[in-house]
Amino acid sequence: MATAQDISTPDRADWLPRRLLVTRSAFGFAHGRAIVERAAARGVEVVALPGDRLALDLPDDPRRAYVAAKSTLAVVVAPPSKRRLQPIAPSADWRVDLAEGCPAHCSYCYLAGSLKGPPITRVYANLDEILAGLPSYLGTGAVTSRNRARRQEGTTFEASCYTDPLALEPLTGSLSAMVAWFGQWEAPVQLRFTTKFALVAPLLDIAHHGRTRMRASINPSRFARFEGGTAPVAARLAALRRMAMAGYPVGLTIAPIIAATGWRSAYATLLDEAAAALGGVPGLDLTIELITHRFTPGSKAVLDSWYPGSSLDMGMERRTTKRTKFGSEKQVYDAATMRDLRGFFEERIATVLPSAQILYWT
């Protein structure tokens, strides 16, 4: 039985924090001040901090602290260390962050254990500085720039590694600004972002010139119950169609693929729904990324504390330990399960979405 933590909230106009914390340095940037103005106009409590340290003042009770953190947005300045890009295989050449943290409540959250401290969302005020550093990475990277199979994508920059930028767009405007900036960058480059939200209206009329690829992160309805606070999957697919009709290259991020009872029929239905949503789009440029469910001991501990009633299976049955290149461990599906999953997706996608390019399987 699904618990309260497993049930997605209805589609909303957009997400609003209860309070907005603004560091002193963030006020020094026009983009930061614009975020503050938007939030204040929407009735969000704005707290101007005396310095650059985030004073969170969270309750002692872990559950109440989680709720308070998740309803807090902070406007901060990305330091030089954050503006030095890191590779982000297999998605893209480089990771470029507009924010860290996400307002959604996914009980498999990939950020759990990756970002330290309470799960507040931080957005960056110094967007111009972030963008100014990108040209130095042109032609570098090992995922697309130097990969024959994906070289046509150019140098790729992933904007949704540590956040869902579309979820924050109504307050930040950061994603629209970045899409427009890439549209004006006359070079073989691509901005990429994936989202579980659907408010794409601000992006539709931007002169993107095909240099931004939006991907909808989707799961069957029976597994989307683990994605609280997000748009319904049908709304995400409808938004993806709108973007494709506006000339954007698009994609599906099917993640995390969950090998629970009935997964074959559930994912077959999902792929049929995606094919129906994208049917008839002229010149459709569609990619697919396939990411199976995995977790680390650290992320499991965090998720268990955040969502103690979740019915998401993070047991060890059909799991095996995989070591990363940094020596850490994560639990992935065993080889037999991975073969079954991969074979199914490759066959089904070839049947219902034959023009799609599968970028990777992991």
Side-chain angles (χ1 to χ4, degrees):
M1 175 181 293
T3 69
Q5 287 86 1
D6 293 336
I7 301 173
S8 296
T9 58
D11 193 18
R12 306 168 293 185
D14 53 52
W15 172 76
L16 280 180
R18 293 181 183 174
R19 62 175 179 164
L20 184 79
L21 306 181
V22 191
T23 63
R24 182 173 57 190
S25 294
F27 277 110
F29 294 88
H31 189 68
R33 295 192 298 273
I35 295 171
V36 174
E37 291 170 4
R38 290 190 194 100
R42 299 289 297 275
V44 176
E45 177 191 4
V46 176
V47 180
L49 301 175
D52 290 339
R53 181 177 176 273
L54 289 182
L56 299 181
D57 190 26
L58 297 176
D60 292 333
D61 177 76
R63 293 298 303 154
R64 292 177 59 213
Y66 167 83
V67 171
K70 274 288 192 177
S71 60
T72 299
L73 184 66
V75 186
V76 302
V77 174
S81 61
K82 293 288 186 182
R83 304 199 305 269
R84 287 194 292 271
L85 305 191
Q86 300 297 318
I88 184 63
S91 173
D93 284 325
W94 302 106
R95 185 188 100 212
V96 55
D97 295 328
L98 302 175
E100 286 191 354
C102 174
H105 302 271
C106 299
S107 51
Y108 54 73
C109 179
Y110 289 125
L111 300 182
S114 297
L115 299 179
K116 299 185 183 302
I120 70 167
T121 299
R122 297 167 171 83
V123 298
Y124 296 136
N126 53 332
L127 178 61
D128 287 346
E129 289 186 339
I130 294 170
L131 295 175
L134 300 187
S136 64
Y137 293 87
L138 181 62
T140 67
V143 175
T144 59
S145 296
R146 302 174 185 176
N147 183 331
R148 182 175 299 175
R150 294 182 61 185
R151 192 175 298 164
Q152 75 281 359
E153 297 175 60
T155 307
T156 46
F157 298 84
E158 175 62 64
S160 50
C161 179
Y162 277 178
T163 191
D164 187 319
L166 192 60
L168 308 173
E169 183 63 8
L171 287 183
T172 68
S174 298
L175 184 58
S176 294
M178 186 171 253
V179 171
W181 191 88
F182 268 80
Q184 295 171 0
W185 189 2
E186 295 185 1
V189 294
Q190 184 185 102
L191 172 66
R192 294 163 48 81
F193 73 94
T194 189
T195 183
K196 291 182 173 67
F197 290 78
L199 292 170
V200 296
L203 308 180
L204 296 177
D205 295 328
I206 296 175
H208 57 83
H209 296 294
R211 297 192 189 105
T212 292
R213 184 181 297 274
M214 171 191 166
R215 298 107 75 211
S217 179
I218 59 173
N219 243 318
S221 56
R222 63 178 299 180
F223 301 141
R225 72 181 190 271
F226 300 123
E227 300 170 353
T230 62
V233 174
R236 301 178 213 173
L237 290 173
L240 193 69
R241 179 183 178 86
R242 294 180 71 191
M243 292 287 279
M245 293 297 289
Y248 282 87
V250 296
L252 300 171
T253 305
I254 305 178
I257 297 168
I258 299 172
T261 302
W263 66 263
R264 288 178 183 272
S265 61
Y267 283 105
T269 298
L270 179 70
L271 289 169
D272 289 345
E273 292 169 347
L278 296 171
V281 174
L284 178 66
D285 180 346
L286 177 67
T287 61
I288 300 181
E289 295 151 85
L290 301 168
I291 305 171
T292 55
H293 181 233
R294 69 277 316 282
F295 56 88
T296 66
S299 67
K300 182 179 185 302
V302 172
L303 291 170
D304 285 344
S305 69
W306 286 355
Y307 309 110
S310 176
S311 59
L312 177 65
D313 180 14
M314 287 196 287
M316 296 306 294
E317 185 178 358
R318 293 189 300 165
R319 297 282 183 176
T320 188
T321 300
K322 182 177 180 179
R323 289 191 178 274
T324 71
K325 62 182 179 180
F326 303 107
S328 59
E329 295 183 355
K330 57 185 174 183
Q331 299 302 318
V332 301
Y333 288 120
D334 61 28
T337 303
M338 291 289 258
R339 281 195 302 270
D340 286 347
L341 289 167
R342 185 169 188 172
F344 164 82
F345 276 98
E346 290 179 347
E347 179 180 350
R348 189 71 182 182
I349 289 169
T351 300
V352 302
L353 291 165
S355 66
Q357 178 190 6
I358 297 177
L359 293 185
Y360 57 85
W361 164 272
T362 186

